[in-house]
Amino acid sequence: MHLPDFIDHTHLKPTATLSEIQHLCEEAKRFGFHAVCVNGSHVSLASEELKNTKVKIAAVVGFPLGAMSTEAKIFEAKDCVKNGADEIDMVINIGWLKSNEDDRVRNEIISIKQGIGDKILKVILETCYLTTSEKEKACILAVEAGADFVKTSTGFGSGGATFEDVTLMKRMVGDKVKIKASGGIKDKETALKYIALGVSRIGTSSGPALLN
C-alpha cells in the first residue's frame, strides 16, 4: 500500500490564486499524489503544470451546492474534460434526493457520465445533510447510474467524512463502485483507517503534512 497513490491533493477555496494552484501541482509531482483536485477555472493551468507527468486532474462540477441545472452541470463537466480533466467530482442535487425525485437524481448522473465518456466520475453525496436512508438511496442511485465512485463530502458543508458514513457506503456499494472520503482528513492515522474501511481515494488539502 503506497499512501500517495490514494491522495487527491485538493485546493477548492474560492480565494485560490494561480500561484497557489501552481504550488499544488508542484507538490503533487514531488510527492507522487494520484491527482490534484481543483475548480473548473483552474483545469487548464493544472493541465499545463502537470503535462508529461502521471498526476491526474480531478475537477469539481456543480460545486459545492449541487443545485444548478443538469444542463449547466453537463456543460461544466464537458468543458473541464476539454480543458484537460481526467476525473469529474460532481455534487448530486440534494434537494431532489430529499424530495424523492430518484429518477431525476439518477438521470442527472447518467447524463454527466455520458457527457464525459471514459473519464472517471465521482458522485459527491454531501452526507452531512442526509439521513441514513437518504445516504443508502444516494449510493444505490449512483451505482445504477454508472458512476465510478461515491464520495462523502465537498468539505464545504456542515461536516466532512466520517468512519460511520464510509462504513455505510461500503455496505451499500460493495465492490460495484469505489469510495472517496473527503472533508476534514488531516493526519496519516485517519487516512489509513479510511483505507482499511475500503476507501480507494482520499481527498485532502493536507497531503504533504499527512505523509510527513
Side-chain angles (χ1 to χ4, degrees):
M1 198 278 293
H2 185 56
L3 187 54
D5 292 339
F6 287 80
I7 293 177
D8 286 357
H9 193 31
T10 304
H11 193 348
L12 296 169
K13 290 179 181 174
T15 53
T17 63
L18 300 184
S19 62
E20 286 172 344
I21 298 300
Q22 288 171 320
H23 182 65
L24 184 84
C25 293
E26 190 54 48
E27 287 183 328
K29 288 188 280 190
R30 184 172 2 127
F31 290 97
F33 294 139
H34 179 88
V36 296
C37 187
V38 297
N39 280 295
S41 61
H42 299 307
V43 170
S44 294
L45 174 60
S47 182
E48 184 64 29
E49 294 291 319
L50 294 170
K51 69 181 177 189
N52 302 322
T53 74
K54 292 181 179 178
V55 182
K56 304 294 186 186
I57 298 166
V60 292
V61 162
F63 195 86
L65 303 178
M68 54 291 296
S69 71
T70 294
E71 289 73 18
K73 288 181 181 176
I74 295 167
F75 177 87
E76 190 180 9
K78 287 180 174 179
D79 188 60
C80 287
V81 168
K82 185 180 76 176
N83 289 325
D86 304 289
E87 306 182 354
I88 297 296
D89 291 30
M90 64 159 285
V91 187
I92 64 162
N93 191 307
I94 300 161
W96 284 354
L97 184 77
K98 287 183 165 292
S99 301
N100 296 311
E101 293 285 335
D102 295 3
D103 288 344
R104 294 173 84 176
V105 174
R106 185 192 301 107
N107 289 337
E108 180 174 88
I109 300 168
I110 289 170
S111 297
I112 294 170
K113 180 61 180 172
Q114 288 174 340
I116 64 173
D118 60 355
K119 305 300 183 186
I120 296 291
L121 180 63
K122 309 189 198 94
V123 176
I124 306 172
L125 309 185
E126 199 68 301
T127 50
C128 61
Y129 296 137
L130 305 180
T131 65
T132 297
S133 62
E134 286 167 349
K135 293 169 194 173
E136 291 171 345
K137 182 168 69 172
C139 287
I140 292 167
L141 293 173
V143 170
E144 290 175 349
D148 300 288
F149 278 79
V150 286
K151 176 177 169 181
T152 58
S153 321
T154 62
F156 288 78
S158 58
T162 68
F163 299 131
E164 294 77 16
D165 283 341
V166 166
T167 301
L168 178 152
M169 291 161 75
K170 185 65 178 174
R171 174 169 56 81
M172 294 307 298
V173 305
D175 295 322
K176 298 188 192 80
V177 302
K178 295 176 180 176
I179 299 171
K180 177 175 173 178
S182 64
I185 302 169
K186 299 189 181 303
D187 63 83
K188 185 176 184 178
E189 183 183 18
T190 303
L192 291 174
K193 183 167 180 182
Y194 278 116
I195 292 167
L197 288 173
V199 160
S200 298
R201 206 78 68 77
I202 301 282
T204 179
S205 56
S206 306
L210 198 141
L211 292 184
N212 294 331

mmCIF file of all heavy atoms in Angstrom, residues 99-145:
data_model
loop_
_atom_site.group_PDB
_atom_site.id
_atom_site.type_symbol
_atom_site.label_atom_id
_atom_site.label_comp_id
_atom_site.label_asym_id
_atom_site.label_seq_id
_atom_site.Cartn_x
_atom_site.Cartn_y
_atom_site.Cartn_z
ATOM 1 N N SER A 99 -36.490 15.155 -1.978
ATOM 2 C CA SER A 99 -37.868 15.227 -2.486
ATOM 3 C C SER A 99 -38.319 13.903 -3.093
ATOM 4 O O SER A 99 -39.401 13.830 -3.686
ATOM 5 C CB SER A 99 -37.971 16.326 -3.549
ATOM 6 O OG SER A 99 -37.599 17.579 -3.019
ATOM 7 N N ASN A 100 -37.472 12.875 -2.960
ATOM 8 C CA ASN A 100 -37.750 11.554 -3.544
ATOM 9 C C ASN A 100 -37.864 11.594 -5.070
ATOM 10 O O ASN A 100 -38.579 10.772 -5.671
ATOM 11 C CB ASN A 100 -39.020 10.935 -2.930
ATOM 12 C CG ASN A 100 -38.846 10.667 -1.444
ATOM 13 O OD1 ASN A 100 -37.857 10.072 -1.030
ATOM 14 N ND2 ASN A 100 -39.805 11.124 -0.646
ATOM 15 N N GLU A 101 -37.148 12.528 -5.676
ATOM 16 C CA GLU A 101 -37.095 12.607 -7.142
ATOM 17 C C GLU A 101 -35.948 11.720 -7.632
ATOM 18 O O GLU A 101 -34.984 12.182 -8.254
ATOM 19 C CB GLU A 101 -36.903 14.061 -7.587
ATOM 20 C CG GLU A 101 -38.077 14.967 -7.288
ATOM 21 C CD GLU A 101 -39.249 14.728 -8.238
ATOM 22 O OE1 GLU A 101 -39.015 14.240 -9.362
ATOM 23 O OE2 GLU A 101 -40.393 15.029 -7.854
ATOM 24 N N ASP A 102 -36.099 10.425 -7.353
ATOM 25 C CA ASP A 102 -34.998 9.488 -7.606
ATOM 26 C C ASP A 102 -34.603 9.438 -9.084
ATOM 27 O O ASP A 102 -33.417 9.381 -9.413
ATOM 28 C CB ASP A 102 -35.381 8.082 -7.132
ATOM 29 C CG ASP A 102 -35.579 8.001 -5.624
ATOM 30 O OD1 ASP A 102 -35.467 9.052 -4.954
ATOM 31 O OD2 ASP A 102 -35.838 6.906 -5.122
ATOM 32 N N ASP A 103 -35.602 9.452 -9.973
ATOM 33 C CA ASP A 103 -35.304 9.376 -11.404
ATOM 34 C C ASP A 103 -34.478 10.576 -11.856
ATOM 35 O O ASP A 103 -33.561 10.439 -12.672
ATOM 36 C CB ASP A 103 -36.592 9.297 -12.230
ATOM 37 C CG ASP A 103 -37.286 7.945 -12.108
ATOM 38 O OD1 ASP A 103 -36.627 6.990 -11.636
ATOM 39 O OD2 ASP A 103 -38.469 7.849 -12.471
ATOM 40 N N ARG A 104 -34.806 11.745 -11.323
ATOM 41 C CA ARG A 104 -34.078 12.955 -11.725
ATOM 42 C C ARG A 104 -32.631 12.899 -11.236
ATOM 43 O O ARG A 104 -31.711 13.286 -11.960
ATOM 44 C CB ARG A 104 -34.789 14.202 -11.191
ATOM 45 C CG ARG A 104 -36.144 14.431 -11.802
ATOM 46 C CD ARG A 104 -36.898 15.565 -11.151
ATOM 47 N NE ARG A 104 -36.521 16.866 -11.700
ATOM 48 C CZ ARG A 104 -37.094 18.003 -11.349
ATOM 49 N NH1 ARG A 104 -38.058 18.008 -10.427
ATOM 50 N NH2 ARG A 104 -36.715 19.137 -11.885
ATOM 51 N N VAL A 105 -32.446 12.420 -10.008
ATOM 52 C CA VAL A 105 -31.080 12.291 -9.470
ATOM 53 C C VAL A 105 -30.287 11.301 -10.315
ATOM 54 O O VAL A 105 -29.153 11.572 -10.734
ATOM 55 C CB VAL A 105 -31.115 11.839 -7.995
ATOM 56 C CG1 VAL A 105 -29.697 11.575 -7.486
ATOM 57 C CG2 VAL A 105 -31.801 12.888 -7.123
ATOM 58 N N ARG A 106 -30.881 10.143 -10.570
ATOM 59 C CA ARG A 106 -30.217 9.090 -11.352
ATOM 60 C C ARG A 106 -29.909 9.568 -12.768
ATOM 61 O O ARG A 106 -28.796 9.391 -13.265
ATOM 62 C CB ARG A 106 -31.090 7.834 -11.394
ATOM 63 C CG ARG A 106 -30.425 6.645 -12.073
ATOM 64 C CD ARG A 106 -31.408 5.519 -12.353
ATOM 65 N NE ARG A 106 -32.063 4.995 -11.168
ATOM 66 C CZ ARG A 106 -33.348 5.223 -10.856
ATOM 67 N NH1 ARG A 106 -34.112 5.961 -11.642
ATOM 68 N NH2 ARG A 106 -33.865 4.706 -9.760
ATOM 69 N N ASN A 107 -30.893 10.182 -13.409
ATOM 70 C CA ASN A 107 -30.723 10.605 -14.798
ATOM 71 C C ASN A 107 -29.668 11.699 -14.942
ATOM 72 O O ASN A 107 -28.958 11.755 -15.958
ATOM 73 C CB ASN A 107 -32.055 11.066 -15.384
ATOM 74 C CG ASN A 107 -33.012 9.907 -15.621
ATOM 75 O OD1 ASN A 107 -32.587 8.757 -15.750
ATOM 76 N ND2 ASN A 107 -34.300 10.196 -15.657
ATOM 77 N N GLU A 108 -29.572 12.553 -13.936
ATOM 78 C CA GLU A 108 -28.534 13.592 -13.983
ATOM 79 C C GLU A 108 -27.137 12.961 -13.964
ATOM 80 O O GLU A 108 -26.252 13.352 -14.739
ATOM 81 C CB GLU A 108 -28.687 14.561 -12.811
ATOM 82 C CG GLU A 108 -27.638 15.657 -12.814
ATOM 83 C CD GLU A 108 -27.884 16.699 -11.738
ATOM 84 O OE1 GLU A 108 -27.406 16.504 -10.592
ATOM 85 O OE2 GLU A 108 -28.556 17.710 -12.036
ATOM 86 N N ILE A 109 -26.951 11.982 -13.091
ATOM 87 C CA ILE A 109 -25.654 11.296 -13.023
ATOM 88 C C ILE A 109 -25.368 10.575 -14.336
ATOM 89 O O ILE A 109 -24.255 10.653 -14.870
ATOM 90 C CB ILE A 109 -25.615 10.302 -11.837
ATOM 91 C CG1 ILE A 109 -25.841 11.031 -10.512
ATOM 92 C CG2 ILE A 109 -24.271 9.569 -11.800
ATOM 93 C CD1 ILE A 109 -26.112 10.099 -9.324
ATOM 94 N N ILE A 110 -26.377 9.903 -14.881
ATOM 95 C CA ILE A 110 -26.229 9.210 -16.170
ATOM 96 C C ILE A 110 -25.801 10.197 -17.256
ATOM 97 O O ILE A 110 -24.880 9.933 -18.034
ATOM 98 C CB ILE A 110 -27.547 8.522 -16.581
ATOM 99 C CG1 ILE A 110 -27.839 7.313 -15.677
ATOM 100 C CG2 ILE A 110 -27.511 8.081 -18.046
ATOM 101 C CD1 ILE A 110 -29.234 6.721 -15.865
ATOM 102 N N SER A 111 -26.461 11.356 -17.299
ATOM 103 C CA SER A 111 -26.184 12.344 -18.346
ATOM 104 C C SER A 111 -24.767 12.882 -18.248
ATOM 105 O O SER A 111 -24.094 13.074 -19.272
ATOM 106 C CB SER A 111 -27.180 13.504 -18.255
ATOM 107 O OG SER A 111 -28.500 13.052 -18.487
ATOM 108 N N ILE A 112 -24.306 13.126 -17.037
ATOM 109 C CA ILE A 112 -22.940 13.633 -16.866
ATOM 110 C C ILE A 112 -21.933 12.555 -17.230
ATOM 111 O O ILE A 112 -20.927 12.831 -17.908
ATOM 112 C CB ILE A 112 -22.741 14.162 -15.431
ATOM 113 C CG1 ILE A 112 -23.615 15.396 -15.216
ATOM 114 C CG2 ILE A 112 -21.267 14.502 -15.176
ATOM 115 C CD1 ILE A 112 -23.695 15.871 -13.785
ATOM 116 N N LYS A 113 -22.192 11.331 -16.816
ATOM 117 C CA LYS A 113 -21.294 10.224 -17.163
ATOM 118 C C LYS A 113 -21.219 10.058 -18.687
ATOM 119 O O LYS A 113 -20.119 9.885 -19.243
ATOM 120 C CB LYS A 113 -21.766 8.936 -16.491
ATOM 121 C CG LYS A 113 -20.897 7.711 -16.788
ATOM 122 C CD LYS A 113 -19.465 7.882 -16.315
ATOM 123 C CE LYS A 113 -18.637 6.638 -16.643
ATOM 124 N NZ LYS A 113 -17.197 6.837 -16.370
ATOM 125 N N GLN A 114 -22.346 10.123 -19.348
ATOM 126 C CA GLN A 114 -22.347 10.022 -20.813
ATOM 127 C C GLN A 114 -21.576 11.186 -21.435
ATOM 128 O O GLN A 114 -20.851 11.005 -22.418
ATOM 129 C CB GLN A 114 -23.790 10.004 -21.339
ATOM 130 C CG GLN A 114 -24.517 8.701 -21.051
ATOM 131 C CD GLN A 114 -25.986 8.745 -21.452
ATOM 132 O OE1 GLN A 114 -26.574 9.821 -21.605
ATOM 133 N NE2 GLN A 114 -26.598 7.573 -21.593
ATOM 134 N N GLY A 115 -21.714 12.361 -20.837
ATOM 135 C CA GLY A 115 -21.068 13.553 -21.372
ATOM 136 C C GLY A 115 -19.548 13.522 -21.299
ATOM 137 O O GLY A 115 -18.875 14.153 -22.110
ATOM 138 N N ILE A 116 -19.009 12.780 -20.332
ATOM 139 C CA ILE A 116 -17.550 12.762 -20.153
ATOM 140 C C ILE A 116 -16.907 11.484 -20.691
ATOM 141 O O ILE A 116 -15.693 11.299 -20.568
ATOM 142 C CB ILE A 116 -17.153 12.982 -18.677
ATOM 143 C CG1 ILE A 116 -17.646 11.845 -17.772
ATOM 144 C CG2 ILE A 116 -17.686 14.325 -18.185
ATOM 145 C CD1 ILE A 116 -17.133 11.929 -16.338
ATOM 146 N N GLY A 117 -17.717 10.599 -21.263
ATOM 147 C CA GLY A 117 -17.167 9.411 -21.918
ATOM 148 C C GLY A 117 -16.429 8.491 -20.966
ATOM 149 O O GLY A 117 -16.989 8.059 -19.959
ATOM 150 N N ASP A 118 -15.158 8.233 -21.267
ATOM 151 C CA ASP A 118 -14.408 7.250 -20.477
ATOM 152 C C ASP A 118 -13.698 7.855 -19.271
ATOM 153 O O ASP A 118 -12.907 7.189 -18.606
ATOM 154 C CB ASP A 118 -13.398 6.516 -21.363
ATOM 155 C CG ASP A 118 -12.379 7.456 -21.990
ATOM 156 O OD1 ASP A 118 -12.504 8.692 -21.820
ATOM 157 O OD2 ASP A 118 -11.456 6.957 -22.668
ATOM 158 N N LYS A 119 -13.965 9.131 -18.977
ATOM 159 C CA LYS A 119 -13.351 9.751 -17.803
ATOM 160 C C LYS A 119 -14.038 9.253 -16.519
ATOM 161 O O LYS A 119 -15.181 8.811 -16.537
ATOM 162 C CB LYS A 119 -13.444 11.273 -17.882
ATOM 163 C CG LYS A 119 -12.849 11.867 -19.154
ATOM 164 C CD LYS A 119 -11.379 11.552 -19.301
ATOM 165 C CE LYS A 119 -10.790 12.225 -20.534
ATOM 166 N NZ LYS A 119 -9.389 11.833 -20.782
ATOM 167 N N ILE A 120 -13.313 9.343 -15.420
ATOM 168 C CA ILE A 120 -13.822 8.880 -14.116
ATOM 169 C C ILE A 120 -14.853 9.862 -13.564
ATOM 170 O O ILE A 120 -14.632 11.079 -13.583
ATOM 171 C CB ILE A 120 -12.643 8.747 -13.122
ATOM 172 C CG1 ILE A 120 -11.645 7.677 -13.581
ATOM 173 C CG2 ILE A 120 -13.145 8.473 -11.697
ATOM 174 C CD1 ILE A 120 -12.168 6.269 -13.508
ATOM 175 N N LEU A 121 -15.972 9.332 -13.071
ATOM 176 C CA LEU A 121 -16.994 10.169 -12.440
ATOM 177 C C LEU A 121 -17.149 9.790 -10.966
ATOM 178 O O LEU A 121 -17.472 8.644 -10.644
ATOM 179 C CB LEU A 121 -18.343 10.027 -13.145
ATOM 180 C CG LEU A 121 -19.471 10.879 -12.554
ATOM 181 C CD1 LEU A 121 -19.167 12.371 -12.671
ATOM 182 C CD2 LEU A 121 -20.805 10.560 -13.217
ATOM 183 N N LYS A 122 -16.925 10.769 -10.101
ATOM 184 C CA LYS A 122 -17.153 10.600 -8.663
ATOM 185 C C LYS A 122 -18.395 11.405 -8.287
ATOM 186 O O LYS A 122 -18.530 12.563 -8.681
ATOM 187 C CB LYS A 122 -15.946 11.095 -7.858
ATOM 188 C CG LYS A 122 -14.600 10.540 -8.308
ATOM 189 C CD LYS A 122 -13.511 10.914 -7.297
ATOM 190 C CE LYS A 122 -12.122 10.783 -7.880
ATOM 191 N NZ LYS A 122 -11.623 12.066 -8.432
ATOM 192 N N VAL A 123 -19.284 10.784 -7.536
ATOM 193 C CA VAL A 123 -20.551 11.411 -7.152
ATOM 194 C C VAL A 123 -20.497 11.791 -5.681
ATOM 195 O O VAL A 123 -20.419 10.921 -4.805
ATOM 196 C CB VAL A 123 -21.731 10.461 -7.440
ATOM 197 C CG1 VAL A 123 -23.036 11.077 -6.961
ATOM 198 C CG2 VAL A 123 -21.813 10.146 -8.928
ATOM 199 N N ILE A 124 -20.521 13.096 -5.431
ATOM 200 C CA ILE A 124 -20.453 13.604 -4.049
ATOM 201 C C ILE A 124 -21.852 13.614 -3.454
ATOM 202 O O ILE A 124 -22.759 14.279 -3.958
ATOM 203 C CB ILE A 124 -19.865 15.027 -4.018
ATOM 204 C CG1 ILE A 124 -18.505 15.084 -4.721
ATOM 205 C CG2 ILE A 124 -19.753 15.517 -2.569
ATOM 206 C CD1 ILE A 124 -17.945 16.499 -4.896
ATOM 207 N N LEU A 125 -22.018 12.878 -2.353
ATOM 208 C CA LEU A 125 -23.330 12.749 -1.716
ATOM 209 C C LEU A 125 -23.612 13.881 -0.732
ATOM 210 O O LEU A 125 -24.762 14.183 -0.463
ATOM 211 C CB LEU A 125 -23.421 11.409 -0.968
ATOM 212 C CG LEU A 125 -23.039 10.143 -1.737
ATOM 213 C CD1 LEU A 125 -23.305 8.913 -0.879
ATOM 214 C CD2 LEU A 125 -23.753 10.047 -3.073
ATOM 215 N N GLU A 126 -22.587 14.500 -0.197
ATOM 216 C CA GLU A 126 -22.682 15.506 0.880
ATOM 217 C C GLU A 126 -23.476 14.926 2.053
ATOM 218 O O GLU A 126 -24.569 15.342 2.413
ATOM 219 C CB GLU A 126 -23.303 16.806 0.361
ATOM 220 C CG GLU A 126 -23.016 18.014 1.250
ATOM 221 C CD GLU A 126 -21.547 18.453 1.272
ATOM 222 O OE1 GLU A 126 -20.686 17.623 1.644
ATOM 223 O OE2 GLU A 126 -21.260 19.604 0.944
ATOM 224 N N THR A 127 -22.870 13.897 2.652
ATOM 225 C CA THR A 127 -23.531 13.069 3.663
ATOM 226 C C THR A 127 -23.994 13.851 4.900
ATOM 227 O O THR A 127 -24.945 13.427 5.563
ATOM 228 C CB THR A 127 -22.586 11.937 4.123
ATOM 229 O OG1 THR A 127 -21.312 12.501 4.454
ATOM 230 C CG2 THR A 127 -22.397 10.907 3.020
ATOM 231 N N CYS A 128 -23.360 14.979 5.189
ATOM 232 C CA CYS A 128 -23.729 15.739 6.395
ATOM 233 C C CYS A 128 -25.169 16.233 6.353
ATOM 234 O O CYS A 128 -25.753 16.526 7.402
ATOM 235 C CB CYS A 128 -22.776 16.914 6.602
ATOM 236 S SG CYS A 128 -22.769 18.114 5.243
ATOM 237 N N TYR A 129 -25.752 16.323 5.155
ATOM 238 C CA TYR A 129 -27.126 16.816 5.010
ATOM 239 C C TYR A 129 -28.152 15.696 4.870
ATOM 240 O O TYR A 129 -29.345 15.968 4.709
ATOM 241 C CB TYR A 129 -27.235 17.733 3.786
ATOM 242 C CG TYR A 129 -26.415 19.006 3.878
ATOM 243 C CD1 TYR A 129 -25.684 19.448 2.784
ATOM 244 C CD2 TYR A 129 -26.372 19.758 5.047
ATOM 245 C CE1 TYR A 129 -24.930 20.612 2.841
ATOM 246 C CE2 TYR A 129 -25.622 20.917 5.125
ATOM 247 C CZ TYR A 129 -24.901 21.348 4.017
ATOM 248 O OH TYR A 129 -24.156 22.497 4.082
ATOM 249 N N LEU A 130 -27.695 14.444 4.905
ATOM 250 C CA LEU A 130 -28.584 13.319 4.577
ATOM 251 C C LEU A 130 -28.886 12.443 5.787
ATOM 252 O O LEU A 130 -28.045 12.263 6.665
ATOM 253 C CB LEU A 130 -27.948 12.454 3.484
ATOM 254 C CG LEU A 130 -27.538 13.153 2.187
ATOM 255 C CD1 LEU A 130 -26.930 12.144 1.224
ATOM 256 C CD2 LEU A 130 -28.705 13.892 1.554
ATOM 257 N N THR A 131 -30.089 11.869 5.780
ATOM 258 C CA THR A 131 -30.437 10.846 6.765
ATOM 259 C C THR A 131 -29.787 9.525 6.344
ATOM 260 O O THR A 131 -29.287 9.395 5.220
ATOM 261 C CB THR A 131 -31.956 10.640 6.821
ATOM 262 O OG1 THR A 131 -32.400 10.118 5.555
ATOM 263 C CG2 THR A 131 -32.690 11.946 7.118
ATOM 264 N N THR A 132 -29.819 8.552 7.221
ATOM 265 C CA THR A 132 -29.257 7.240 6.887
ATOM 266 C C THR A 132 -29.907 6.665 5.639
ATOM 267 O O THR A 132 -29.228 6.190 4.731
ATOM 268 C CB THR A 132 -29.438 6.265 8.067
ATOM 269 O OG1 THR A 132 -28.698 6.768 9.189
ATOM 270 C CG2 THR A 132 -28.927 4.880 7.721
ATOM 271 N N SER A 133 -31.225 6.713 5.570
ATOM 272 C CA SER A 133 -31.917 6.145 4.413
ATOM 273 C C SER A 133 -31.599 6.922 3.144
ATOM 274 O O SER A 133 -31.516 6.342 2.045
ATOM 275 C CB SER A 133 -33.427 6.087 4.642
ATOM 276 O OG SER A 133 -33.958 7.378 4.821
ATOM 277 N N GLU A 134 -31.406 8.244 3.247
ATOM 278 C CA GLU A 134 -31.048 9.050 2.081
ATOM 279 C C GLU A 134 -29.630 8.728 1.598
ATOM 280 O O GLU A 134 -29.375 8.685 0.386
ATOM 281 C CB GLU A 134 -31.170 10.539 2.405
ATOM 282 C CG GLU A 134 -32.618 11.012 2.496
ATOM 283 C CD GLU A 134 -32.770 12.387 3.126
ATOM 284 O OE1 GLU A 134 -31.800 12.917 3.696
ATOM 285 O OE2 GLU A 134 -33.882 12.936 3.067
ATOM 286 N N LYS A 135 -28.726 8.491 2.530
ATOM 287 C CA LYS A 135 -27.364 8.086 2.156
ATOM 288 C C LYS A 135 -27.398 6.749 1.417
ATOM 289 O O LYS A 135 -26.733 6.568 0.386
ATOM 290 C CB LYS A 135 -26.472 7.963 3.395
ATOM 291 C CG LYS A 135 -26.172 9.263 4.103
ATOM 292 C CD LYS A 135 -25.511 9.006 5.462
ATOM 293 C CE LYS A 135 -25.514 10.255 6.316
ATOM 294 N NZ LYS A 135 -25.031 10.005 7.696
ATOM 295 N N GLU A 136 -28.196 5.819 1.936
ATOM 296 C CA GLU A 136 -28.314 4.498 1.303
ATOM 297 C C GLU A 136 -28.882 4.633 -0.104
ATOM 298 O O GLU A 136 -28.369 4.032 -1.062
ATOM 299 C CB GLU A 136 -29.194 3.591 2.165
ATOM 300 C CG GLU A 136 -28.547 3.210 3.489
ATOM 301 C CD GLU A 136 -29.493 2.487 4.435
ATOM 302 O OE1 GLU A 136 -30.720 2.521 4.200
ATOM 303 O OE2 GLU A 136 -29.005 1.897 5.410
ATOM 304 N N LYS A 137 -29.925 5.436 -0.222
ATOM 305 C CA LYS A 137 -30.568 5.629 -1.526
ATOM 306 C C LYS A 137 -29.612 6.303 -2.511
ATOM 307 O O LYS A 137 -29.543 5.911 -3.691
ATOM 308 C CB LYS A 137 -31.849 6.453 -1.367
ATOM 309 C CG LYS A 137 -32.597 6.655 -2.664
ATOM 310 C CD LYS A 137 -33.999 7.209 -2.431
ATOM 311 C CE LYS A 137 -33.971 8.638 -1.917
ATOM 312 N NZ LYS A 137 -35.330 9.233 -1.883
ATOM 313 N N ALA A 138 -28.868 7.294 -2.049
ATOM 314 C CA ALA A 138 -27.924 8.000 -2.922
ATOM 315 C C ALA A 138 -26.863 7.043 -3.463
ATOM 316 O O ALA A 138 -26.487 7.120 -4.643
ATOM 317 C CB ALA A 138 -27.270 9.158 -2.164
ATOM 318 N N CYS A 139 -26.404 6.143 -2.616
ATOM 319 C CA CYS A 139 -25.422 5.143 -3.062
ATOM 320 C C CYS A 139 -26.006 4.258 -4.151
ATOM 321 O O CYS A 139 -25.362 3.997 -5.180
ATOM 322 C CB CYS A 139 -24.963 4.279 -1.885
ATOM 323 S SG CYS A 139 -23.858 5.109 -0.730
ATOM 324 N N ILE A 140 -27.228 3.794 -3.947
ATOM 325 C CA ILE A 140 -27.889 2.919 -4.922
ATOM 326 C C ILE A 140 -28.057 3.642 -6.261
ATOM 327 O O ILE A 140 -27.768 3.089 -7.329
ATOM 328 C CB ILE A 140 -29.256 2.449 -4.390
ATOM 329 C CG1 ILE A 140 -29.070 1.505 -3.202
ATOM 330 C CG2 ILE A 140 -30.070 1.761 -5.494
ATOM 331 C CD1 ILE A 140 -30.351 1.233 -2.428
ATOM 332 N N LEU A 141 -28.501 4.905 -6.212
ATOM 333 C CA LEU A 141 -28.725 5.673 -7.436
ATOM 334 C C LEU A 141 -27.415 5.887 -8.194
ATOM 335 O O LEU A 141 -27.384 5.798 -9.425
ATOM 336 C CB LEU A 141 -29.379 7.017 -7.104
ATOM 337 C CG LEU A 141 -30.808 6.945 -6.559
ATOM 338 C CD1 LEU A 141 -31.276 8.315 -6.113
ATOM 339 C CD2 LEU A 141 -31.763 6.363 -7.595
ATOM 340 N N ALA A 142 -26.341 6.156 -7.466
ATOM 341 C CA ALA A 142 -25.037 6.371 -8.105
ATOM 342 C C ALA A 142 -24.562 5.098 -8.806
ATOM 343 O O ALA A 142 -24.047 5.146 -9.930
ATOM 344 C CB ALA A 142 -24.014 6.838 -7.079
ATOM 345 N N VAL A 143 -24.749 3.968 -8.155
ATOM 346 C CA VAL A 143 -24.369 2.682 -8.760
ATOM 347 C C VAL A 143 -25.214 2.425 -10.008
ATOM 348 O O VAL A 143 -24.691 2.073 -11.076
ATOM 349 C CB VAL A 143 -24.533 1.522 -7.751
ATOM 350 C CG1 VAL A 143 -24.368 0.176 -8.451
ATOM 351 C CG2 VAL A 143 -23.523 1.655 -6.618
ATOM 352 N N GLU A 144 -26.532 2.617 -9.883
ATOM 353 C CA GLU A 144 -27.433 2.381 -11.022
ATOM 354 C C GLU A 144 -27.106 3.277 -12.211
ATOM 355 O O GLU A 144 -27.291 2.893 -13.370
ATOM 356 C CB GLU A 144 -28.885 2.616 -10.584
ATOM 357 C CG GLU A 144 -29.427 1.564 -9.634
ATOM 358 C CD GLU A 144 -30.821 1.891 -9.125
ATOM 359 O OE1 GLU A 144 -31.311 3.033 -9.329
ATOM 360 O OE2 GLU A 144 -31.429 0.995 -8.513
ATOM 361 N N ALA A 145 -26.598 4.476 -11.910
ATOM 362 C CA ALA A 145 -26.317 5.463 -12.955
ATOM 363 C C ALA A 145 -24.956 5.261 -13.618
ATOM 364 O O ALA A 145 -24.623 5.976 -14.562
ATOM 365 C CB ALA A 145 -26.411 6.870 -12.375
#
